Amino acid sequence: MTDTDAQTIVTRNDEDRRYEVHVDGVLAGFTVFRADARGRLHFPHTEVDPALRGRGLAQTVVREAMADAARRGETVVPHCPVVAKYLREHEVPGLTVEWPDQPHPE
C-alpha cells in the first residue's frame, strides 16, 4: 500500500483535549488544545509518530483543527511552533487568531 492509498482522518477528541490524525485507523499524531477562562483555545503542542513523519500529517491535523475551530466560531491562541507556522502561511476563513506575547513552552 502506498501513502496515497492510506485513509487519513482527523477527529476532535474533547475528552483528551486534542485533535487527532489517524492513518488507516491508527493514531498517527495530534495537536493539543486547552480552553482558557475566556473560552479561547490555546494550542501548545503538536506531535506525530516518528515512524510516520514526512507525510505532512502535522500540517493535516493542524489544518483540520483550525478549520473546525473556525466553523465553531472559536478563537485560537497559537503557542505551538507548528500551529503558528501554519497560521502565518495559510489563511483560515472565519478564524479569529490572538497571537501570544510570549511563546508557550511545550
Side-chain angles (χ1 to χ4, degrees):
M1 176 180 288
T2 66
D3 287 346
T4 56
D5 293 334
Q7 182 180 17
T8 302
I9 298 173
V10 176
T11 57
R12 179 172 167 147
N13 179 336
D14 285 316
E15 184 175 319
D16 289 334
R17 296 176 306 203
R18 64 189 192 181
Y19 285 87
E20 301 173 339
V21 60
H22 295 82
V23 176
D24 290 334
V26 177
L27 179 63
F30 53 86
T31 187
V32 177
F33 64 86
R34 64 174 174 76
D36 67 15
R38 294 173 37 200
R40 301 175 303 171
L41 293 185
H42 293 254
F43 283 82
H45 181 69
T46 301
E47 187 173 322
V48 172
D49 182 327
L52 298 172
R53 289 187 182 151
R55 297 183 182 191
L57 294 174
Q59 185 165 341
T60 298
V61 71
V62 169
R63 179 185 67 235
E64 295 301 318
M66 297 302 107
D68 185 60
R71 284 189 297 272
R72 294 169 180 260
E74 295 173 318
T75 297
V76 166
V77 183
H79 299 282
C80 170
V82 176
V83 175
K85 181 176 190 242
Y86 181 85
L87 290 173
R88 284 188 182 98
E89 295 177 354
H90 300 89
E91 183 177 337
V92 181
L95 184 65
T96 302
V97 179
E98 288 187 15
W99 293 96
D101 292 334
Q102 298 287 330
H104 188 283
E106 290 192 32

